[in-house]
Amino acid sequence: MRNYTAIIIAALSLSTAPYICAGDLVHYTGTTLSDPHRHDGGLSPAVGVHNIQTMRANRRHDLYTPNSTGWTYNHQPMLAWWNGRFYMHYLSNPADEHVGGGRTMIQSSADGYSWTAPQILFPVCKVPDGFRKSEDGEPAKDLEAVMHQRMGFFVSASGRLLATGNYGIAMHPKDDPNDGNGMGRVAREILPDGSFGPIYFIYLNHGFKNSETPFPYYTKSPDKGFRKACEELIANPLMRMQWVEEADRNDPLIPLKKPYKAFCWYTLPDGRKAGLWKHALTSVSDDGGETWAEPVQRAGGFVNSNAKIWGQRLSDGSYATVYNPSEFRWPLAISLSSDGLEYKTLSLVHGEVPAMRYAGQYKSFGPQYARGIQEGNGTPPDSALWVTYSVGKEDMWVARIPVPVRLATTAHPDENFAGVPAIASLTEWNIYSPVLAPVSLEDAAGKRWLTLRDSDPFDFAKAERMIPATRELTAEFDFMAGQQKGGELQVEFVDSRGTPCSRLWITPQGEMLSKGGARYGTVLPEIEAGKSYHIRVELSLANRNTTVYVDGKKRSTRMLFAPVHEVSRIVFRTGARQDYPNPDTPADRTEDMPGADRRDPEALFRISGLKTASADADAGSAILRYAGFAHHAEYFNSMEDENIVQAIPNSQSSEWMERNSPLFAWPDADMELLYYYRWWTLR
């Protein structure tokens, strides 16, 4: 027995990686789950998120530069803030993933809303003829490398910004370019004026260490400061850990030599590093990333598809993870933590899944592969959480999430936008702004307008205002269309899960209609271009109807078309909500969509003077209203049959709780549920 003990002790002593229990790793203890049958997952948004499209692919009529070769596969963006600008680079292939002819493109922006046209950062690189991945493998002939990188930027101690990329090799379309048999990793300095320095290899895979390469090794650079910045990068284990897929297998440079993908990390309050990989794998490091606790485990409670997960310490000291909380790559959501380990909430960041316009190998619907700004790579002056991601592996986006991250709003709006300089200041509004359907603030007819334009046949502009949960709502706003016919605007009143109960529709034919059930009633038979209308909507969940007034005159009363517990959002959108794709949609698209390169005539709609008010019994409450919590009583009533009827029966429990229970809101959904359950049982 002593011999066995000695063997076990000896084996343990050989391991340098500590063991850690699951409770000390990143995990999710909340109860909110995402529904993949809905593009938004049925999640309530974080307040004030702005989704901005930075680049929209178009094969025939390129928006930026002459383009005859395609370049409709665009994916895997990386982000940094440096020298007063955002820098974002991404992969770009003619059509397919893991097919040669790849390059890396870069965009920059001073404010995160207006982005430069993409430039080539790392060009297409030819693989030497005759190259083989193995002795008996097929030789390369007229083959171009595949760009694929898990690391984007590095800011040195001296303040130099390096951009990095990796040239992998796929001998055929189904080959793996990340098998450790590529060319190597390149680096290039971004200079203070936004121009680029020369390209150098900073790492060479084994097949090219003694070969002629298209770019020199970094030690050949005449710039001593650049060489020092490269060596600083190489010396950092947290940087090298990001190379694991693309580096030589079992290279001593890599701290954890396991096939885990898409590493990111952040610093915990005690100085340890928390690591995250694809599939929500997680570990911690006590020594700055030199070693990691093993076995690496799935983050308990996290639901994550085969896509990246991003984790970051926020400017207020809290933590966030941003990822796809389903087995599909929609929606994109945020989960919050106070200590970087226990995550308790789940809220929406990007809930739209537009059409995937172009066919291509391994393309996926939805917002995916989110990346924020890695520690050390800059902090934007607004202290917000900025993340970048691709949609459909076609278009590039960024999202600005205000910090502190808020999950609800406490006051009804009374806004006319006067004096508001730009949409970046609209931190109570959630904005969805594609390149061809931008949302902006503009002056017209003597006032400031929230303006939605749309010439995108496959997407729309959207502006969404969260309000306190309300059952008896009055909403009014001014409206103007830039055209009498063409384009459409839908105004929806939705609950916390995004379910609409009432809709106004300005149709492409120039009518204003109000939806009731399966039919629409006429509010105005014809609108006039350039005319300002004052719209007033009175919505009652008790009476289940909506009454619409235009310029003070009653025009329509319609029944609600869906039951909801409360109204907590007003949505202005230049198109119908989409329900394709869905969980049963085939993963691969083999043909471009009809008219994929098309651009529609631009439609324009303006909104101003939004004001809402509640006529609920607790409308005078400064912050919380019972309508936002009534669903708890309904849930408790449905748990089991009412075998014994108490003095206050289940049918009256909600009214009793509204009169007697103090309102309580908490980010931990389980704690909030328990609180109201105690009151429900007290009656």
Side-chain angles (χ1 to χ4, degrees), residues 619-640:
S621 172
I623 298 178
L624 303 178
R625 293 170 174 81
Y626 182 74
F629 307 94
H631 62 280
H632 291 309
E634 296 181 16
Y635 169 67
F636 302 145
N637 291 341
S638 68
M639 289 191 303
E640 58 184 21

Side-chain angles (χ1 to χ4, degrees), residues 465-647:
R465 184 55 159 90
M466 295 180 71
I467 62 174
T470 304
R471 293 184 59 84
E472 306 297 312
L473 175 69
T474 299
E476 48 190 307
F477 56 90
D478 294 330
F479 159 77
M480 180 190 294
Q483 61 288 318
Q484 195 273 316
K485 293 183 179 181
E488 64 177 302
L489 179 71
Q490 296 192 359
V491 184
E492 289 187 337
F493 298 84
V494 307
D495 69 0
S496 59
R497 288 177 49 82
T499 301
C501 65
S502 178
R503 179 186 302 142
L504 293 178
W505 182 26
I506 290 81
T507 73
Q509 292 72 40
E511 310 161 284
M512 182 183 292
L513 307 179
S514 177
K515 181 173 175 60
R519 294 181 174 84
Y520 284 87
T522 299
V523 178
L524 290 175
E526 185 176 87
I527 61 171
E528 295 181 30
K531 178 179 178 179
S532 177
Y533 296 91
H534 185 74
I535 310 298
R536 178 182 173 92
V537 177
E538 295 178 354
L539 187 151
S540 172
L541 296 190
N543 296 328
R544 298 202 64 250
N545 64 19
T546 302
T547 301
V548 182
Y549 299 80
V550 179
D551 295 331
K553 184 176 180 180
K554 182 178 178 180
R555 291 286 188 172
S556 173
T557 297
R558 304 289 292 178
M559 298 300 292
L560 304 182
F561 65 85
V564 295
H565 293 294
E566 32 70 30
V567 173
S568 58
R569 289 185 260 164
I570 302 176
V571 180
F572 301 89
R573 187 181 59 236
T574 61
R577 61 176 54 235
Q578 302 182 41
D579 56 12
Y580 179 90
N582 59 59
D584 296 317
T585 300
D588 299 314
R589 176 178 291 283
T590 57
E591 295 182 355
D592 292 353
M593 290 195 67
D597 301 318
R598 190 176 87 243
R599 182 170 182 170
D600 287 345
E602 185 178 77
L604 180 152
F605 300 96
R606 304 186 190 274
I607 303 295
S608 189
L610 177 65
K611 180 179 181 179
T612 66
S614 171
D616 295 355
D618 55 1
S621 172
I623 298 178
L624 303 178
R625 293 170 174 81
Y626 182 74
F629 307 94
H631 62 280
H632 291 309
E634 296 181 16
Y635 169 67
F636 302 145
N637 291 341
S638 68
M639 289 191 303
E640 58 184 21
D641 294 336
E642 190 176 12
N643 297 322
I644 300 176
V645 178
Q646 304 290 342

Side-chain angles (χ1 to χ4, degrees), residues 15-18 237-238 240-245 247-261 263 275-277 281-285 287 289-297:
S15 173
T16 58
L238 294 166
R240 302 195 308 270
M241 190 65 237
Q242 299 173 71
W243 302 358
V244 62
E245 296 167 70
D248 289 354
R249 294 300 175 257
N250 298 315
D251 191 318
L253 272 175
I254 306 303
L256 183 59
K257 303 169 190 62
K258 298 290 178 66
Y260 307 136
K261 299 180 178 182
F263 171 74
L276 291 165
W277 291 264
L281 296 175
T282 186
S283 183
V284 295
S285 173
D287 54 12
E290 293 286 358
T291 61
W292 293 87
E294 295 188 70
V296 170
Q297 301 180 43

